[in-house]
Amino acid sequence: SVAISTNAGPLTAGETALIQYQFSEPPVGFTDSDISVSGGTISNLMVDGVDDTLYTALFTPTADTQSLSGSVSIGAGTFTNADTEVNLASTPNAALTGDTLPPSVTSIVRAASDPTNATSVSFTVTFAESVTGVGTSDFGLTTNGGAAGNIASVSGSGTTYTVTVNSLTGEGTLRLDLNSSLTGIVDALNNAISGGFSSGQSYSFDRTAPVVNTITRAQSDNTNASSLTFDVMFSENISN
């Protein structure tokens, strides 16, 4: 008979688990092909240097799996003992859990109307899973033209955060980006975020008031009409 065990806790990205196989007597013909595994792979199978009834191997979990559920077992009749008696199925078996999927940003969108002449705006940052450690230093601003501002605050929890940018001046565009490294953002099992995000929405800032360029007659001059029309041309599109 054989008992399979592990003392590994929930596994995260890049971690492996040591699996122990304790046999009731030395096995004959036991190889890694006799092992059934789900949720990952087995490697480095070896017998203990002192106890020939004890084997160990490494379990590598499947990458990018948020809710890992793995198992390691051995079916009956896959090897024998010295008397050529076939083995029984393993009991108990090893069960493994974890989260090998690093968190990521799914979107950064404007939280207000655009274009704008505001001196403070907010962005909504959405993550693929709940995270912690989100702060102002995790973000940067990409600008075009003369727009400029300061990242002032971060609020929120779980998967959704609001980032406020204030002290806004100038005209042009401004986008909020997540830095590509050294952010400190992690998920529930401390998997670090996988990278930055720089494809979110931008704000366009227009601080120049429209002006009238021309006012011209719409009809011929020197008229005796009782109603007149004038064409008014502005410097940009306007609304009432």
Coordinates of all heavy atoms in Angstrom, one line a residue, residues 86-184:
V86 N 0.9 -7.1 -6.8 CA 0.6 -5.8 -7.3 C 0.1 -4.9 -6.2 O -0.4 -5.3 -5.2 CB -0.4 -5.9 -8.5 CG1 0.1 -6.6 -9.7 CG2 -1.7 -6.4 -8.0
N87 N 0.3 -3.6 -6.4 CA 0.0 -2.6 -5.4 C -1.5 -2.3 -5.3 O -2.3 -2.6 -6.3 CB 0.7 -1.3 -5.7 CG 0.2 -0.6 -6.9 OD1 0.4 -1.1 -8.0 ND2 -0.6 0.5 -6.8
L88 N -1.9 -1.9 -4.2 CA -3.3 -1.3 -4.0 C -3.3 0.1 -4.4 O -2.3 0.8 -4.5 CB -3.7 -1.5 -2.5 CG -3.7 -2.9 -2.0 CD1 -4.0 -2.8 -0.5 CD2 -4.7 -3.8 -2.7
A89 N -4.5 0.7 -4.6 CA -4.6 2.1 -4.9 C -4.2 2.9 -3.7 O -4.3 2.5 -2.6 CB -6.0 2.4 -5.3
S90 N -3.6 4.1 -3.9 CA -3.1 4.9 -2.8 C -4.2 5.4 -2.0 O -5.3 5.7 -2.5 CB -2.3 6.1 -3.4 OG -3.1 6.8 -4.3
T91 N -4.0 5.5 -0.7 CA -4.9 6.1 0.2 C -4.1 6.5 1.5 O -3.4 5.6 2.0 CB -6.1 5.2 0.6 OG1 -7.0 5.9 1.4 CG2 -5.7 3.9 1.2
P92 N -4.3 7.7 2.0 CA -5.0 8.8 1.3 C -4.2 9.4 0.2 O -3.0 9.0 0.0 CB -5.1 9.9 2.5 CG -3.8 9.6 3.3 CD -3.6 8.1 3.3
N93 N -4.8 10.3 -0.6 CA -4.1 11.0 -1.7 C -3.8 12.4 -1.3 O -4.4 13.0 -0.3 CB -5.0 10.9 -2.9 CG -5.2 9.5 -3.4 OD1 -4.3 8.7 -3.4 ND2 -6.5 9.2 -3.7
A94 N -3.0 13.1 -2.1 CA -2.6 14.5 -1.8 C -3.6 15.4 -2.6 O -3.8 15.2 -3.8 CB -1.2 14.7 -2.2
A95 N -4.1 16.4 -1.9 CA -5.0 17.4 -2.5 C -4.2 18.7 -2.4 O -3.6 19.1 -1.3 CB -6.3 17.5 -1.8
L96 N -4.3 19.5 -3.4 CA -3.6 20.8 -3.5 C -4.5 21.9 -4.0 O -5.4 21.7 -4.8 CB -2.4 20.7 -4.4 CG -1.4 19.6 -4.0 CD1 -1.4 18.5 -5.0 CD2 0.0 20.2 -3.8
T97 N -4.3 23.1 -3.4 CA -5.2 24.2 -3.8 C -4.2 25.4 -4.0 O -3.0 25.4 -3.7 CB -6.2 24.6 -2.7 OG1 -5.5 24.9 -1.5 CG2 -7.1 23.4 -2.4
G98 N -4.8 26.5 -4.5 CA -4.0 27.7 -4.7 C -4.5 28.6 -5.7 O -5.7 28.4 -6.2
D99 N -3.8 29.6 -6.0 CA -4.1 30.6 -7.0 C -2.8 31.0 -7.7 O -1.9 31.7 -7.1 CB -4.7 31.9 -6.3 CG -5.0 33.0 -7.3 OD1 -4.8 32.8 -8.5 OD2 -5.4 34.1 -6.8
T100 N -2.6 30.6 -9.0 CA -1.4 30.8 -9.7 C -1.6 31.9 -10.8 O -0.8 32.1 -11.7 CB -0.9 29.6 -10.4 OG1 -1.9 29.1 -11.3 CG2 -0.6 28.5 -9.3
L101 N -2.8 32.6 -10.7 CA -3.1 33.7 -11.7 C -2.8 35.0 -11.1 O -3.5 35.5 -10.2 CB -4.5 33.6 -12.1 CG -5.0 34.7 -13.1 CD1 -4.2 34.5 -14.4 CD2 -6.5 34.6 -13.3
P102 N -1.7 35.7 -11.5 CA -1.5 37.1 -11.0 C -2.6 38.0 -11.4 O -3.2 37.9 -12.4 CB -0.2 37.5 -11.7 CG 0.4 36.2 -12.2 CD -0.7 35.3 -12.5
P103 N -2.9 39.0 -10.5 CA -4.0 39.9 -10.8 C -3.6 40.8 -12.0 O -2.4 41.0 -12.3 CB -4.1 40.7 -9.5 CG -2.8 40.6 -8.8 CD -2.3 39.2 -9.2
S104 N -4.5 41.5 -12.6 CA -4.3 42.4 -13.7 C -5.4 43.4 -13.7 O -6.4 43.3 -13.2 CB -4.2 41.6 -15.0 OG -5.5 41.0 -15.3
V105 N -5.1 44.5 -14.4 CA -6.1 45.6 -14.7 C -6.9 45.2 -15.9 O -6.3 44.9 -17.0 CB -5.4 46.9 -14.8 CG1 -6.4 48.0 -15.4 CG2 -4.8 47.4 -13.5
T106 N -8.2 45.3 -15.9 CA -9.0 45.1 -17.0 C -9.4 46.4 -17.7 O -9.6 46.4 -19.0 CB -10.3 44.3 -16.7 OG1 -11.0 45.0 -15.7 CG2 -9.9 42.9 -16.1
S107 N -9.5 47.5 -17.0 CA -9.8 48.7 -17.7 C -9.5 49.9 -16.7 O -9.4 49.8 -15.5 CB -11.3 48.8 -18.0 OG -12.1 48.8 -16.8
I108 N -9.2 51.1 -17.4 CA -9.1 52.3 -16.7 C -9.9 53.3 -17.5 O -9.6 53.6 -18.7 CB -7.7 52.9 -16.6 CG1 -6.8 51.9 -15.7 CG2 -7.7 54.2 -15.9 CD1 -5.4 52.3 -15.6
V109 N -11.1 53.8 -17.0 CA -12.0 54.6 -17.7 C -12.3 55.9 -17.0 O -12.1 56.1 -15.8 CB -13.3 53.9 -18.0 CG1 -13.1 52.6 -18.8 CG2 -14.0 53.5 -16.6
R110 N -12.7 56.9 -17.8 CA -13.0 58.2 -17.2 C -14.3 58.1 -16.3 O -15.2 57.3 -16.6 CB -13.4 59.2 -18.3 CG -12.2 59.5 -19.3 CD -12.6 60.6 -20.3 NE -13.7 60.1 -21.2 CZ -13.5 59.5 -22.3 NH1 -12.3 59.3 -22.8 NH2 -14.5 59.1 -23.1
A111 N -14.3 58.8 -15.2 CA -15.4 58.8 -14.3 C -16.3 60.0 -14.5 O -17.3 60.2 -13.8 CB -14.9 58.7 -12.9
A112 N -16.0 60.9 -15.5 CA -16.8 62.1 -15.7 C -16.8 62.4 -17.2 O -16.2 61.6 -18.0 CB -16.1 63.3 -15.0
S113 N -17.6 63.4 -17.6 CA -17.8 63.7 -19.0 C -16.5 64.2 -19.7 O -15.6 64.7 -19.0 CB -18.9 64.7 -19.2 OG -18.6 65.9 -18.5
D114 N -16.4 64.1 -21.0 CA -15.3 64.5 -21.8 C -15.7 65.1 -23.1 O -16.7 64.6 -23.6 CB -14.4 63.3 -22.0 CG -13.1 63.6 -22.8 OD1 -12.2 64.3 -22.2 OD2 -13.0 63.2 -24.0
P115 N -15.2 66.2 -23.6 CA -14.0 67.0 -23.0 C -14.5 67.8 -21.8 O -15.6 67.9 -21.5 CB -13.6 67.9 -24.2 CG -14.9 68.1 -25.0 CD -15.6 66.8 -24.9
T116 N -13.4 68.4 -21.1 CA -13.7 69.1 -19.9 C -12.7 70.2 -19.7 O -11.7 70.3 -20.3 CB -13.6 68.1 -18.7 OG1 -13.9 68.8 -17.5 CG2 -12.2 67.5 -18.6
N117 N -13.1 71.2 -18.8 CA -12.2 72.2 -18.4 C -12.0 72.2 -16.9 O -11.6 73.1 -16.3 CB -12.7 73.6 -18.8 CG -14.0 74.0 -18.1 OD1 -14.6 73.2 -17.4 ND2 -14.5 75.2 -18.4
A118 N -12.3 71.0 -16.3 CA -12.2 70.8 -14.9 C -10.7 70.9 -14.4 O -9.8 70.7 -15.1 CB -12.8 69.5 -14.4
T119 N -10.6 71.3 -13.1 CA -9.3 71.3 -12.5 C -9.0 70.0 -11.7 O -7.9 69.8 -11.1 CB -9.1 72.5 -11.6 OG1 -10.1 72.5 -10.6 CG2 -9.2 73.8 -12.4
S120 N -10.0 69.1 -11.6 CA -9.9 67.8 -10.9 C -10.8 66.8 -11.6 O -11.9 67.1 -11.9 CB -10.3 68.0 -9.4 OG -10.2 66.7 -8.8
V121 N -10.2 65.6 -11.9 CA -11.0 64.6 -12.6 C -10.7 63.2 -11.9 O -9.7 63.1 -11.2 CB -10.7 64.5 -14.1 CG1 -11.1 65.7 -14.8 CG2 -9.2 64.2 -14.3
S122 N -11.5 62.3 -12.1 CA -11.3 60.9 -11.6 C -11.3 59.9 -12.7 O -12.0 60.0 -13.7 CB -12.3 60.6 -10.5 OG -12.2 61.5 -9.4
F123 N -10.6 58.8 -12.4 CA -10.6 57.6 -13.3 C -11.1 56.4 -12.4 O -10.7 56.3 -11.2 CB -9.2 57.3 -13.8 CG -8.7 58.3 -14.8 CD1 -8.0 59.4 -14.3 CD2 -8.8 58.1 -16.1 CE1 -7.5 60.4 -15.2 CE2 -8.3 59.0 -17.0 CZ -7.7 60.2 -16.6
T124 N -11.8 55.5 -13.0 CA -12.2 54.2 -12.4 C -11.3 53.1 -12.9 O -11.2 52.9 -14.1 CB -13.7 53.9 -12.7 OG1 -14.5 54.9 -12.2 CG2 -14.1 52.6 -12.0
V125 N -10.6 52.5 -12.0 CA -9.7 51.4 -12.3 C -10.3 50.1 -11.9 O -10.6 49.9 -10.7 CB -8.3 51.6 -11.6 CG1 -7.3 50.5 -12.0 CG2 -7.7 53.0 -11.9
T126 N -10.4 49.2 -12.8 CA -11.0 47.9 -12.5 C -10.0 46.7 -12.7 O -9.3 46.7 -13.7 CB -12.2 47.6 -13.4 OG1 -13.2 48.6 -13.3 CG2 -12.9 46.3 -13.1
F127 N -9.9 45.9 -11.7 CA -9.0 44.8 -11.7 C -9.7 43.5 -12.0 O -10.9 43.4 -11.7 CB -8.2 44.7 -10.3 CG -7.3 45.8 -10.0 CD1 -7.8 47.0 -9.4 CD2 -6.0 45.7 -10.4 CE1 -6.9 48.0 -9.2 CE2 -5.1 46.8 -10.1 CZ -5.6 47.9 -9.5
A128 N -9.0 42.5 -12.4 CA -9.6 41.2 -12.7 C -10.0 40.4 -11.5 O -10.9 39.5 -11.6 CB -8.7 40.3 -13.6
E129 N -9.5 40.7 -10.4 CA -9.8 40.1 -9.1 C -9.5 41.1 -8.0 O -8.9 42.1 -8.2 CB -9.0 38.8 -8.9 CG -7.5 39.0 -8.9 CD -6.8 37.7 -8.7 OE1 -7.0 37.0 -7.6 OE2 -6.0 37.3 -9.5
S130 N -10.0 40.7 -6.8 CA -9.8 41.6 -5.6 C -8.3 41.8 -5.3 O -7.5 40.8 -5.3 CB -10.5 41.1 -4.4 OG -11.9 41.1 -4.6
V131 N -7.9 43.0 -5.1 CA -6.5 43.3 -4.8 C -6.4 44.3 -3.6 O -7.3 44.9 -3.3 CB -5.8 43.9 -6.0 CG1 -5.7 42.9 -7.2 CG2 -6.4 45.2 -6.5
T132 N -5.2 44.3 -3.1 CA -4.9 45.3 -2.0 C -3.5 46.0 -2.4 O -2.8 45.5 -3.3 CB -4.8 44.7 -0.6 OG1 -3.8 43.6 -0.7 CG2 -6.1 44.1 -0.2
G133 N -3.2 47.0 -1.6 CA -1.9 47.7 -1.8 C -1.9 48.7 -2.9 O -0.8 49.1 -3.5
V134 N -3.1 49.2 -3.3 CA -3.2 50.1 -4.4 C -3.0 51.6 -3.8 O -3.7 52.0 -2.9 CB -4.6 50.1 -5.1 CG1 -4.6 51.0 -6.3 CG2 -4.9 48.6 -5.5
G135 N -2.1 52.3 -4.4 CA -1.8 53.6 -3.9 C -1.4 54.6 -5.0 O -1.3 54.2 -6.2
T136 N -1.3 55.9 -4.7 CA -1.0 56.9 -5.7 C 0.3 56.6 -6.4 O 0.4 56.9 -7.6 CB -1.0 58.3 -5.1 OG1 0.0 58.3 -4.0 CG2 -2.4 58.6 -4.5
S137 N 1.3 56.1 -5.8 CA 2.6 55.9 -6.4 C 2.6 54.8 -7.4 O 3.6 54.6 -8.1 CB 3.7 55.6 -5.3 OG 3.4 54.4 -4.6
D138 N 1.5 54.0 -7.5 CA 1.4 52.9 -8.4 C 1.0 53.4 -9.8 O 1.0 52.6 -10.8 CB 0.3 51.9 -8.0 CG 0.7 51.3 -6.6 OD1 1.9 51.1 -6.4 OD2 -0.2 51.0 -5.8
F139 N 0.7 54.6 -10.0 CA 0.1 55.2 -11.2 C 1.0 56.3 -11.7 O 1.8 56.9 -11.0 CB -1.3 55.7 -11.1 CG -2.3 54.6 -10.6 CD1 -2.5 54.4 -9.3 CD2 -2.9 53.8 -11.6 CE1 -3.4 53.4 -8.9 CE2 -3.8 52.8 -11.2 CZ -4.0 52.6 -9.9
G140 N 0.9 56.5 -13.0 CA 1.6 57.7 -13.7 C 0.6 58.3 -14.7 O -0.4 57.7 -15.0
L141 N 1.0 59.5 -15.2 CA 0.1 60.2 -16.1 C 0.9 60.3 -17.4 O 2.1 60.6 -17.5 CB -0.1 61.6 -15.6 CG -0.9 61.7 -14.3 CD1 -1.0 63.2 -13.8 CD2 -2.3 61.1 -14.4
T142 N 0.1 60.1 -18.5 CA 0.6 60.3 -19.9 C -0.1 61.5 -20.5 O -1.4 61.4 -20.5 CB 0.5 59.0 -20.7 OG1 1.2 58.0 -20.2 CG2 0.9 59.3 -22.2
T143 N 0.6 62.5 -20.9 CA -0.1 63.7 -21.3 C 0.4 64.0 -22.8 O 1.4 63.6 -23.2 CB 0.3 64.9 -20.4 OG1 1.7 65.1 -20.4 CG2 -0.2 64.7 -19.0
N144 N -0.5 64.8 -23.4 CA -0.2 65.3 -24.8 C -0.6 66.8 -24.8 O -1.7 67.1 -24.3 CB -0.9 64.5 -25.8 CG -0.5 64.9 -27.2 OD1 0.6 65.2 -27.5 ND2 -1.5 64.9 -28.1
G145 N 0.2 67.6 -25.4 CA -0.1 69.0 -25.4 C 0.4 69.6 -24.1 O 1.4 69.2 -23.5
G146 N -0.4 70.6 -23.6 CA 0.0 71.3 -22.4 C -0.7 70.8 -21.1 O -0.5 71.5 -20.0
A147 N -1.4 69.8 -21.2 CA -2.2 69.3 -20.0 C -1.2 68.8 -18.9 O -0.2 68.1 -19.2 CB -3.2 68.2 -20.3
A148 N -1.5 69.1 -17.6 CA -0.6 68.6 -16.6 C -1.5 68.5 -15.3 O -2.5 69.2 -15.1 CB 0.5 69.5 -16.3
G149 N -1.1 67.6 -14.4 CA -1.8 67.5 -13.1 C -1.1 66.6 -12.2 O 0.0 66.1 -12.5
N150 N -1.6 66.4 -11.0 CA -1.0 65.5 -10.0 C -2.0 64.4 -9.5 O -3.2 64.7 -9.4 CB -0.6 66.4 -8.7 CG 0.4 67.4 -9.0 OD1 1.4 67.2 -9.7 ND2 0.1 68.6 -8.6
I151 N -1.5 63.2 -9.3 CA -2.3 62.1 -8.8 C -2.5 62.4 -7.3 O -1.5 62.3 -6.6 CB -1.7 60.8 -9.1 CG1 -1.5 60.6 -10.6 CG2 -2.5 59.6 -8.5 CD1 -0.7 59.3 -11.0
A152 N -3.7 62.6 -6.9 CA -3.9 63.1 -5.5 C -4.3 62.1 -4.6 O -3.9 62.0 -3.4 CB -5.0 64.2 -5.6
S153 N -5.2 61.1 -5.0 CA -5.7 60.1 -4.0 C -6.2 58.9 -4.7 O -6.5 58.9 -5.9 CB -6.9 60.8 -3.2 OG -8.0 61.1 -4.0
V154 N -6.3 57.8 -4.0 CA -6.9 56.6 -4.4 C -7.9 56.1 -3.4 O -7.6 56.1 -2.2 CB -5.8 55.5 -4.6 CG1 -6.5 54.1 -5.0 CG2 -4.9 55.9 -5.7
S155 N -9.1 55.7 -3.8 CA -10.1 55.1 -2.9 C -10.7 53.9 -3.5 O -10.6 53.7 -4.7 CB -11.2 56.2 -2.6 OG -11.9 56.5 -3.8
G156 N -11.3 53.1 -2.7 CA -11.9 51.9 -3.2 C -11.4 50.6 -2.5 O -10.6 50.7 -1.6
S157 N -11.9 49.5 -3.0 CA -11.5 48.2 -2.5 C -11.9 47.1 -3.4 O -12.6 47.4 -4.4 CB -12.1 47.9 -1.1 OG -13.5 47.9 -1.2
G158 N -11.4 45.9 -3.2 CA -11.8 44.8 -4.0 C -11.3 44.9 -5.4 O -10.1 45.0 -5.7
T159 N -12.2 44.9 -6.4 CA -11.8 45.0 -7.8 C -11.9 46.4 -8.4 O -11.4 46.6 -9.5 CB -12.7 44.1 -8.7 OG1 -14.1 44.5 -8.6 CG2 -12.6 42.6 -8.2
T160 N -12.5 47.3 -7.6 CA -12.7 48.7 -8.2 C -12.2 49.8 -7.3 O -12.4 49.8 -6.1 CB -14.2 48.9 -8.4 OG1 -14.8 47.8 -9.2 CG2 -14.5 50.2 -9.1
Y161 N -11.4 50.6 -8.0 CA -10.7 51.8 -7.3 C -11.0 53.0 -8.1 O -11.1 53.0 -9.3 CB -9.2 51.5 -7.1 CG -8.9 50.5 -6.1 CD1 -9.0 49.1 -6.4 CD2 -8.5 50.8 -4.8 CE1 -8.8 48.1 -5.5 CE2 -8.2 49.8 -3.9 CZ -8.3 48.5 -4.2 OH -8.1 47.5 -3.3
T162 N -11.0 54.2 -7.4 CA -11.1 55.5 -8.0 C -9.9 56.3 -7.7 O -9.4 56.4 -6.6 CB -12.3 56.3 -7.5 OG1 -13.5 55.5 -7.7 CG2 -12.4 57.6 -8.1
V163 N -9.3 56.8 -8.8 CA -8.0 57.6 -8.7 C -8.4 59.0 -9.1 O -8.9 59.2 -10.2 CB -6.9 57.0 -9.6 CG1 -5.7 57.8 -9.5 CG2 -6.6 55.5 -9.3
T164 N -8.1 59.9 -8.3 CA -8.4 61.3 -8.5 C -7.1 62.1 -8.9 O -6.0 62.0 -8.2 CB -9.0 62.0 -7.3 OG1 -10.2 61.3 -7.0 CG2 -9.3 63.5 -7.5
V165 N -7.2 62.9 -9.9 CA -6.1 63.7 -10.4 C -6.5 65.2 -10.3 O -7.6 65.6 -10.8 CB -5.7 63.4 -11.9 CG1 -4.6 64.3 -12.4 CG2 -5.4 61.9 -12.1
N166 N -5.7 66.0 -9.5 CA -6.1 67.4 -9.3 C -5.0 68.3 -9.8 O -4.0 67.9 -10.4 CB -6.5 67.6 -7.9 CG -5.4 67.4 -6.9 OD1 -4.2 67.3 -7.3 ND2 -5.7 67.4 -5.6
S167 N -5.2 69.6 -9.5 CA -4.2 70.7 -9.9 C -4.0 70.6 -11.4 O -2.9 70.9 -11.9 CB -2.9 70.5 -9.1 OG -3.1 70.6 -7.7
L168 N -5.1 70.4 -12.1 CA -5.0 70.3 -13.5 C -4.9 71.7 -14.2 O -5.7 72.6 -13.9 CB -6.2 69.6 -14.1 CG -6.3 68.1 -13.8 CD1 -7.7 67.5 -13.9 CD2 -5.3 67.3 -14.6
T169 N -4.0 71.8 -15.1 CA -3.8 73.0 -15.9 C -3.5 72.7 -17.3 O -3.2 71.5 -17.7 CB -2.6 73.8 -15.3 OG1 -1.4 73.0 -15.4 CG2 -2.8 74.2 -13.9
G170 N -3.7 73.7 -18.2 CA -3.3 73.5 -19.6 C -4.4 72.8 -20.4 O -5.4 72.3 -19.9
E171 N -4.1 72.8 -21.7 CA -5.0 72.1 -22.6 C -4.2 70.9 -23.2 O -3.0 70.8 -23.3 CB -5.4 73.0 -23.7 CG -6.3 74.2 -23.3 CD -6.9 75.0 -24.4 OE1 -6.3 75.0 -25.5 OE2 -8.0 75.5 -24.2
G172 N -5.0 69.9 -23.7 CA -4.5 68.7 -24.3 C -5.1 67.5 -23.7 O -6.3 67.6 -23.3
T173 N -4.5 66.4 -23.7 CA -5.0 65.1 -23.2 C -4.2 64.6 -22.1 O -3.0 64.9 -22.0 CB -5.1 64.0 -24.3 OG1 -3.8 63.7 -24.8 CG2 -6.0 64.5 -25.5
L174 N -4.9 63.8 -21.2 CA -4.3 63.2 -20.0 C -4.8 61.8 -19.8 O -6.1 61.7 -19.8 CB -4.5 64.1 -18.8 CG -3.8 63.7 -17.5 CD1 -3.4 64.9 -16.7 CD2 -4.9 62.9 -16.7
R175 N -4.0 60.9 -19.6 CA -4.4 59.5 -19.4 C -3.7 58.9 -18.2 O -2.5 59.3 -17.9 CB -3.9 58.6 -20.6 CG -4.5 57.2 -20.6 CD -3.9 56.3 -21.7 NE -2.5 56.0 -21.6 CZ -1.6 56.1 -22.5 NH1 -1.9 56.6 -23.7 NH2 -0.3 55.8 -22.3
L176 N -4.4 58.1 -17.4 CA -3.9 57.5 -16.2 C -3.4 56.1 -16.6 O -4.1 55.3 -17.2 CB -5.0 57.4 -15.1 CG -4.5 56.7 -13.8 CD1 -3.6 57.7 -13.0 CD2 -5.7 56.3 -13.0
D177 N -2.2 55.8 -16.2 CA -1.6 54.4 -16.5 C -1.2 53.8 -15.2 O -0.8 54.4 -14.2 CB -0.3 54.6 -17.4 CG -0.6 55.2 -18.7 OD1 -1.8 55.0 -19.2 OD2 0.3 55.8 -19.3
L178 N -1.2 52.4 -15.2 CA -0.7 51.7 -14.0 C 0.8 51.4 -14.4 O 1.1 50.9 -15.5 CB -1.4 50.4 -13.9 CG -0.9 49.4 -12.8 CD1 -1.1 50.0 -11.4 CD2 -1.5 48.0 -12.9
N179 N 1.7 51.7 -13.4 CA 3.1 51.4 -13.6 C 3.4 49.9 -13.9 O 2.7 49.1 -13.4 CB 3.9 51.9 -12.4 CG 3.8 53.4 -12.2 OD1 3.5 54.1 -13.1 ND2 4.0 53.8 -10.9
S180 N 4.4 49.7 -14.6 CA 4.7 48.3 -15.1 C 5.4 47.5 -14.0 O 5.5 46.3 -14.1 CB 5.5 48.3 -16.4 OG 6.7 49.0 -16.2
S181 N 6.0 48.1 -13.0 CA 6.7 47.4 -11.9 C 6.7 48.1 -10.6 O 6.4 49.3 -10.6 CB 8.1 47.1 -12.4 OG 8.8 48.3 -12.6
L182 N 7.0 47.4 -9.6 CA 7.2 48.0 -8.2 C 6.0 48.7 -7.7 O 6.0 49.8 -7.1 CB 8.4 49.0 -8.2 CG 9.8 48.5 -8.7 CD1 10.8 49.6 -8.7 CD2 10.2 47.3 -7.8
T183 N 4.8 48.1 -8.0 CA 3.6 48.7 -7.5 C 3.2 48.3 -6.1 O 2.5 49.0 -5.4 CB 2.4 48.4 -8.5 OG1 2.2 47.0 -8.4 CG2 2.7 48.8 -9.9
G184 N 3.5 47.0 -5.7 CA 3.0 46.5 -4.4 C 1.6 46.0 -4.4 O 1.0 45.7 -3.3

